């Protein structure tokens, strides 16, 4: 292996830059040439590919976003698109790929590898933490801390006015962010897609809570089956039916995708990036480099995409017990 | 003067606790007894009033929210409500009042003073900065910095995906927060209630900008006459009519009300709180203690409520020039 | 088991309050009475012990420090001291103990348990992360992020002036903090007690680095065998012997012990606190409740104290490779 | 005027980049060519000067440090050095200069202007806030907030252990940072160069305070006439002479120079940068563009350097009164 390329794809996540840096520097350390593809698979197709050097990644480890930009590519879903991409890589002599992203990114990478055989390793870059084969994904810790800081601020104002706040966090299919910032934020309830939300119980508990506590925080994952935070608030409000009580909604939105990555995300991103390059050099391919039980581990793209990582059981109990 | 009471009212603002602390300790320093009224005018009516000591305000200077809580009071708008409030204060021998809040708070304080004559001084506690008689209001600096940190995070993800972001900040009647975090956040446009928003110009500029810049940030004050950020985004999107471009909205909401106050807000709150108590001791009343041109100044409630504080002219020019 | 007591001891760590909250609420959830001992073992001896309720721990999950205070106790090292402590607990009917702290705390708890037999479980509360039997200790993640934010700030000024900065972080016997914030901060070198520091190599590398990089960051654990950051800087400065180069030292100090805990520390603290109480109810004793490979695990005090937890091997390689 | 140059000099300050951005974009807006000089006066002498465009300053408004780097220049103190600098500027046709820095920077700029006549305007970039002719200097607000966040963290651990903490902040000749973060941090004492520090009074008060408060924070400006924080702590410790009390010192150091600038600093930097360029276009020279009483004002270099800006009198009273 002599030349590798790296790109980011899908929703951006804090720590992607730290991962790019690790890929570039590990590659150079081992004598490889390294290229950066801008705009993900779209850039691969259009040949938006440039040589990277050690200084290309100076002073980016602490930055949110991705210097290689990201995009969704419809064209790469077609055979013709992938053929163009292959020709671009072939013309540059690229014989190894590191793909930083989530499920969608790995699905594309798997198909492309199986069609054209350029060894490819993924790094788990997504705030959602919903990828099998790694304890945590790059960006998750930062997103949770960003959401938690917002909850801390909202609790100040909730307490000052005795309000009930519904806070919507990211997570279309998974409740990881909601659960961790719910525990950390001392939320009374957390509503996630993985478990059935029992609004009757919530209403009953809120009525009871109000005797001992003046304000309440409810964290809602955007993908909860009862609806988004606005909808759920309206349902609860109607059932509580108390004019003295104020109900408010805050949807945290895209602030969860940005910001300087936390220490944990920078370390994870660095480890995955180094492991991806060294994995390629050791003959690994068609897999993701993650961290499992604290150690680097390679998991086939097939498993990463196909298997699900359940929420910790004791996490849900924690919320129930600690909000009394 | 022997006994004074302090309360917070209206929307809470970071720094209110620092102001309460200053009132309590300055009062004790000068040999006064000091009482805290919980839940604003409602608590005054119901007699929710407790003696405060130096240690009652220990370790609160850095906390958002208000330990005295806040509420809107319909009852205080009635003559009967105010009579009850007066009887409560009279029974405790309260002969001075410090009211921390905004326009609504001062309106109530002015009426109450004119009816019952208990000397009252206000402190400007509101994130909106829309009070005449003080350069800045307590909480404004924190709210702007909170909004700015959110914009910094959003810019990361906006740049990664080449998106146009509409960010809604607080400000129903005033654009102070929008303008300061727009300048600080390097926004392309800021839309505020004080000036007419020219959407045609925005659309034209965005089309031009897109040649040189890949992403754009537009800050919208919630009270802009063209609507909230969702509405404005839809209007602009329709006019730009470009399928390749992604438009996103983030409404920052109540995170702007909470959080640890900044240094500036803690200092301002401390100065206003001390000045309010010392003003009472010096015979001032029916006025607000603010900071004008860097020095403490007392402004009559009538002026605080009746006069408007215009946006700085050079601030609007700054945004136009610096976003090229 | 009917009544348990909880205390914090040793150096304070962010997340201790979240752990106290979890202990108190889990105990109440399971029908136990719970008591808080102030000032650690000293408070146990002097009977500084109070009943705690659910609201006693409201609104503390996000606060640094410990509401139960901490202290070192010489008296508890004596048989007489421990006898007094036992009599205090006996008189209140305490039949279970949760001890939050580090090595020293657990050493005391082990002796006390073996002498008097009150079931005791520990929770790992220390920023140093040097306790066997848990992946991470409560406070470590916060301390690393605090140090990292400081390094990010220092890198700004180091780059502006082309300076070489030696940054000293906490860690008398262990290099965990140094290694993680070294990786996250993009440090050129990290010096830790666990490995021999080769100053000749550092000097050589710094001379080489200076051709490609203008500024450098070196992270020093306070317990490095070559001395503290001041000493090491002087040694390096003499050997580099270049008048054009500025060498600076920053010792981060006690800021690493305080601050709002991160999400990770709050979740870890909550899990350990709940596991400690439920462990007591399930007959566990003389052990610590930690989290190993992501799941709650109980490890005997003997192992926690006696065994060492080595630094991750790939972490040290990361620093070497990624700083090229 | 057709071509202007901009540089930063002296100690770096957060917000310098925002100021550079404002200078560059305002110049371009008005049809000027603009050049950036790297490494301050040294770069002027050696001709380290490059054309800047609008995109040269994209995405820097939020960054600490200075993209133009900074340095002290011995050579510029000589007539020969300044002659070289002039020839460099002349050869490029530079006919206007914006100098961002503090006293030393303006002293050099004044001499250079008087010798060679290239119109020059300064912007006040220094964390110390000790420049006459502007309410605040660029970087001061950020430095104060950084110091304050550190004090907040230290208070957590001080309270947990009942310790007395001496915290040293920057300020060799001025106590602005110490005073503002002392008020904001609820310090018991603040020691600054401008006023005589009465250690006897401090010792007496600390002994009294210890009856009602368990921990204390004392903020020391590095230039206090009684010495740095280490020295003062030792003097106080000896006089208090209480073995039960722990005294600790934290020297915040260079973290105060870095970090993302606050909203206030970004707005101030933007205003000063725009005013400097527009001042040059309007025929101003040999002066600094600052903000006085909220409005842009030009003050001659002679006054900026020669006059002193005293500490606010009520600030010192605040600390005395509010720490009871």
């Amino acid at each position: 292996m002599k030349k590798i390329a790296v790109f980011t794809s899908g929703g951006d996540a804090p720590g992607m830059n730290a991962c790019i840096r690790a890929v570039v520097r590990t590659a150079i350390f081992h004598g490889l040439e390294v290229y950066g593809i801008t705009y993900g698979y779209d850039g691969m197709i259009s040949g938006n590919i440039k040589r990277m050097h050690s200084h290309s990644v100076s002073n980016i480890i602490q930055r949110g976003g991705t210097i290689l930009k990201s995009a969704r590519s419809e064209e790469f879903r077609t055979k013709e698109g992938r053929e163009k991409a292959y020709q671009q890589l072939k013309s540059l002599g690229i014989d190894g790929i590191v793909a930083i992203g989530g499920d969608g990114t790995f699905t594309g990478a798997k198909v492309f590898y199986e069609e054209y055989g350029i060894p490819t390793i993924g790094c788990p870059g997504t705030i959602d933490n919903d990828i099998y084969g790694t304890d945590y994904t790059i960006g998750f810790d930062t997103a949770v801390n960003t959401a938690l800081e917002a909850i801390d601020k909202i609790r100040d104002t909730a307490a000052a006015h005795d309000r009930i706040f519904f806070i919507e966090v990211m997570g279309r299919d998974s409740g990881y962010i909601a659960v961790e910032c719910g525990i950390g934020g001392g939320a009374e309830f957390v509503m996630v897609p993985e478990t059935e939300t029992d609004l009757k119980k919530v209403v009953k508990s809120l009525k009871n809570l109000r005797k001992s506590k003046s304000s309440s925080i409810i964290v809602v994952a955007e993908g909860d089956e009862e609806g988004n935070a606005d909808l759920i608030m309206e349902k609860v409000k109607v059932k509580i039916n108390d004019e003295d009580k104020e109900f408010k909604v805050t949807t945290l939105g895209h602030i969860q995708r940005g910001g300087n990555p936390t220490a944990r995300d920078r370390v994870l991103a660095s480890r995955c990036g180094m492991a991806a390059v060294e994995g390629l050099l050791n003959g690994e391919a068609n897999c993701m480099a993650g961290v499992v039980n604290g150690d680097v581990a390679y998991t086939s793209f097939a498993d990463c995409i196909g298997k699900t990582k359940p929420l910790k059981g004791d996490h849900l109990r924690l919320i129930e017990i600690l909000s009394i």
Side-chain angles (χ1 to χ4, degrees), chain A:
Chain A
M1 192 163 294
K2 291 185 178 167
K3 294 183 182 182
I4 67 167
V6 58
F7 67 92
T8 52
S9 168
D12 63 315
M16 280 186 161
N17 280 327
C19 193
I20 294 168
R21 174 181 177 267
V23 169
V24 168
R25 295 217 168 148
T26 306
I28 293 171
F29 181 86
H30 289 297
L32 302 174
E33 279 185 22
V34 58
Y35 291 78
I37 304 172
T38 306
Y39 291 112
Y41 290 117
D42 262 4
M44 199 186 281
I45 292 169
S46 63
N48 200 336
I49 306 173
K50 281 191 196 139
R51 180 79 183 272
M52 296 185 85
H53 303 277
S54 179
H55 62 78
S56 312
V57 292
S58 287
N59 210 18
I60 66 166
I61 193 171
Q62 80 278 26
R63 304 243 162 96
T66 158
I67 61 166
L68 293 178
K69 306 226 171 195
S70 188
R72 277 173 291 170
S73 174
E74 290 304 315
E75 198 176 353
F76 196 76
R77 293 172 184 268
T78 66
K79 178 71 191 152
E80 293 71 30
R82 293 194 295 275
E83 175 64 27
K84 281 191 211 166
Y86 175 67
Q87 294 302 333
Q88 294 284 6
L89 298 179
K90 195 180 160 194
S91 73
L92 287 166
I94 303 294
D95 50 4
I97 300 172
V98 178
I100 305 169
D103 266 16
T105 306
F106 298 161
T107 303
K110 181 170 178 290
V111 170
F112 191 66
Y113 173 73
E114 287 165 4
E115 286 176 349
Y116 297 101
I118 303 179
T120 303
I121 293 186
C123 292
T126 166
I127 63 168
D128 289 332
N129 200 30
D130 57 350
I131 295 180
Y132 182 87
T134 193
D135 296 341
Y136 295 101
T137 55
I138 299 162
F140 172 67
D141 193 56
T142 307
V144 169
N145 277 290
T146 297
L148 185 56
E149 284 170 24
I151 293 172
D152 283 351
K153 288 185 207 294
I154 289 170
R155 195 201 288 110
D156 286 342
T157 186
H161 288 275
D162 291 356
R163 284 166 172 162
I164 297 173
F165 261 93
F166 291 75
I167 302 174
E168 183 178 308
V169 299
M170 285 196 165
R172 242 171 248 160
D173 307 306
S174 93
Y176 279 99
I177 293 176
V179 166
E180 295 234 348
C181 71
I183 296 172
E188 270 70 31
F189 300 98
V190 174
M191 300 175 178
V192 295
E194 287 90 341
T195 62
E196 209 178 319
T197 298
D198 184 346
L199 287 188
K200 276 190 193 167
K201 191 178 162 194
V202 170
V203 168
K204 193 177 162 195
S205 300
L206 276 178
K207 286 184 175 174
N208 284 336
L209 276 175
R210 287 177 42 220
K211 294 168 195 162
S212 56
K213 289 190 185 187
S214 55
S215 63
S216 299
I217 299 281
I218 294 136
V219 176
V220 180
E222 58 179 333
D224 189 71
E225 76 285 355
E226 285 284 348
N228 66 15
D230 284 304
L231 274 170
I232 291 176
M233 185 274 277
E234 288 301 336
K235 292 180 187 176
V236 170
K237 189 179 175 181
V238 165
K239 285 176 186 160
I240 290 197
N241 189 22
D242 176 347
E243 287 192 357
D244 287 348
K245 208 70 196 174
E246 282 186 285
F247 296 82
K248 296 274 178 185
V249 172
T250 295
T251 301
L252 296 183
H254 280 78
I255 59 169
Q256 297 164 84
R257 290 210 173 278
N260 294 5
T262 59
R264 202 61 71 92
D265 273 332
R266 297 189 204 181
V267 171
L268 175 63
S270 299
R271 295 179 80 188
C272 291
M274 182 168 87
V277 173
E278 300 197 333
L280 286 174
L281 289 169
N282 292 331
E284 300 280 352
N286 207 16
C287 64
M288 180 189 79
V291 169
V292 177
N293 288 344
D295 289 316
V296 165
Y298 299 92
T299 302
S300 72
F301 280 147
D303 280 356
C304 293
I305 301 162
K307 295 190 178 175
T308 58
K309 189 166 66 173
L311 292 175
K312 292 266 174 205
D314 74 331
H315 278 26
L316 298 175
R317 283 191 63 228
L318 268 176
I319 291 165
E320 192 176 344
I321 292 178
L322 300 190
S323 64
I324 60 170

